[in-house]
Amino acid sequence: MDGLYLADDVRKLDAAAIAGGIPGYELMRRAAAAALRELRARWPVARDLLVLCGGGNNGGDGYMLAALARRSGLAPTVIAAVARERLAGDAARAAAECAAAGVTLLALDPRELAGRIARSDVIVDALLGIGLVADVRSELAELIDRVNDARRPVLALDVPSGLCADTGRVRGTAVRASSTVTFIARKAGLWLGAGPTQSGEIVLDSLGVDARLGERCGVRPVLQLLARELLGELPRRAADAHKGLAGHLLILGGGVGMPGAARLAGEAALRAGAGRGTVLAAAESAVAIAAGCPELMVRAIAADGGLPADSLATASVMAIGPGLGRDVWSRRALAMALAQAVARDLPVVLDADALNLLAEEGSAGGEAMASRWRLPARCVLTPHPGEAARLLGTTTAAVQAERLQAARDLQIRHGAIIVLKGAGTLVAERGSIWLCPSGNPAMAAPGMGDVLTGIIGALVGQGLGISAAARAGVLLHALAGELAAGRGLVASSLPDSAGNGIDRGLLASEVARLVPQLLARWSRPC
């Protein structure tokens, strides 16, 4: 089952699988076997396992894993966070099988816990799973904190305990896993919020559940993952191609003292294949932009914010906002650009200060805002969490806590394609939301959003629809970041001692330079 699912929908899939003939205890056995396979593949010399078991079916998975591990010649010990007499159903049956296999079962005792953790080769987290609806209670919170402090390898079953399976929010505290084996379908919270940090490498095992089950029981994913096949929507160029066929991107930005952002957006657009790129900037910034990237055309905007008619006449797409500023000049230029885009039905990408100005105007409300700031029918908004918070009239923390809902709210409010940037960038349009699973922490750096704006604008100019361009642009940008950091693709930098590549110090311009290499790899033959 492709896509990411909410916990309640996974429960429906589980129930449908049982109703379809797979007993619940058999699903538990399959889950335990899948997790044990992952454990042995990842830590092949591990022998002493410490399995932390809660009271529900997640705990049952842990008991079953311990039983299978014992029969395989390993030395598991179970710490039971819930007394065996309080277990019921399949979890109780799994605990009985575990005891019958000769596994040592211990009650949760803080006095000897530290020693048990220190002696373990791998810790298996089977405490809470997807059923968590409140903050972790104190005794389990202490256990989780001790596990995290020990810095031992941790394998989480289904979801790291303490992590909300729907939002990726940490409920007080959460296990930080080295790897998470999730069952039947991918849980959205593993990819949202703190999910990627807490989950480590995520492995899906369907447990043999039919991939068509979701359709039959009316369960749909809440999110789709962006896949590299998206980049195949852009064909390779024909031998007789010329720049006039690849679009003319007009970038409005580069306010007084801020030439860098507009230049980055323009250069990224050219790297992504834009036929022509013109930057409209304040006179004080125009020379610096032209000197930094002579391949860009640069026009100075008049002091009254008026835009050159000849540039507007030939533009096929506009990108507004990189380094634009928030003064009177910027406001006038934005108003004129939006009016022209609406009149000419041009697609537009709005970023950075264009979004801040839109938020300021929106906070004023009234009919004046609606008439002055009408957005084109084909429009992409690319806020980072702070800009999204200003557009929604809330806080950055609130946006980050509920990124999925924030993306939905922005899409409904503005009627545009929304690219909510950050770890796990979301692309939302009416009725559908995609999540980007790629990227690198080193991309948390200045100018990355400007590069993304240029890439999306360039893809629109080359013929992709506004939605496809937003999705492909986000993925292309993230993959270029991975490549630049030496992760996921052919390394372009020396890896660190762990082979993970750099996690800081990456420049946005370095990401832009790698875009042509990825397009050559993934675009389809003409």
Side-chain angles (χ1 to χ4, degrees), residues 107-366:
L108 179 56
D109 185 348
R111 292 172 298 178
E112 66 171 63
L113 189 59
R116 292 284 178 179
I117 290 174
R119 291 193 296 272
S120 63
D121 296 322
V122 177
I123 299 170
V124 177
D125 165 32
L127 288 169
L128 296 171
I130 66 174
L132 186 67
V133 296
D135 284 357
V136 178
R137 65 181 189 269
S138 59
E139 65 271 22
L140 288 186
E142 181 181 355
L143 172 57
I144 289 171
D145 290 342
R146 284 176 179 264
V147 168
N148 290 340
D149 291 343
R151 300 184 179 274
R152 307 298 295 161
V154 177
L155 178 69
L157 305 190
D158 216 10
V159 174
S161 294
L163 184 76
C164 176
D166 290 346
T167 67
R169 176 185 169 192
V170 172
R171 300 305 305 261
T173 189
V175 167
R176 178 169 288 195
S178 310
S179 179
T180 298
V181 183
T182 197
F183 308 123
I184 298 180
R186 298 174 179 88
K187 285 72 181 176
L190 297 177
W191 275 265
L192 291 171
T197 298
Q198 302 299 134
S199 304
E201 184 172 343
I202 302 167
V203 177
L204 170 69
D205 195 292
S206 69
L207 307 187
V209 174
D210 190 340
R212 296 164 295 181
L213 186 61
E215 297 176 12
R216 294 200 293 266
C217 63
V219 171
R220 291 169 52 92
V222 67
L223 286 164
Q224 295 286 351
L225 292 176
L226 294 179
R228 293 177 185 180
E229 288 73 19
L230 269 172
L231 304 184
E233 296 187 23
L234 190 70
R236 294 183 66 84
R237 287 187 176 173
D240 60 348
H242 59 81
K243 66 181 182 181
L245 299 175
H248 179 193
L249 175 62
L250 195 65
I251 298 169
L252 173 60
V256 177
M258 296 184 289
R263 175 196 158 182
L264 281 170
E267 185 173 347
L270 296 178
R271 296 283 185 184
R276 289 181 289 169
T278 298
V279 177
L280 305 183
E284 295 87 342
S285 297
V287 173
I289 296 170
C293 185
E295 296 87 351
L296 288 169
M297 297 177 283
V298 184
R299 301 288 301 275
I301 303 176
D304 64 357
L307 306 180
D310 55 344
S311 295
L312 288 168
T314 58
S316 54
V317 55
M318 297 177 69
I320 308 173
L324 182 62
R326 297 162 72 175
D327 55 15
V328 173
W329 172 88
S330 307
R331 194 177 298 274
R332 288 174 179 168
L334 174 60
M336 292 183 183
L338 287 177
Q340 287 292 322
V342 170
R344 296 191 53 223
D345 190 28
L346 286 179
V348 171
V349 183
L350 294 179
D351 185 29
D353 284 327
L355 301 175
N356 292 324
L357 290 171
L358 188 66
E360 290 173 8
E361 199 73 11
S363 65

Side-chain angles (χ1 to χ4, degrees), residues 72 82 168 197 255 405 414 465 480 486:
S72 299
V82 174
T197 298
Q405 189 60 49
H414 295 284

Side-chain angles (χ1 to χ4, degrees), residues 11 22 36 70 99 145 160 167 169 227 251 254 276 296 305 308 316 335 374 383 390 427 431 455 458 468 481 484 493:
R11 292 189 187 95
I22 306 177
L36 184 59
R70 175 72 175 177
D145 290 342
T167 67
R169 176 185 169 192
I251 298 169
R276 289 181 289 169
L296 288 169
S316 54
R374 180 183 167 194
R390 287 188 280 275
V427 183
I455 291 172
S493 58

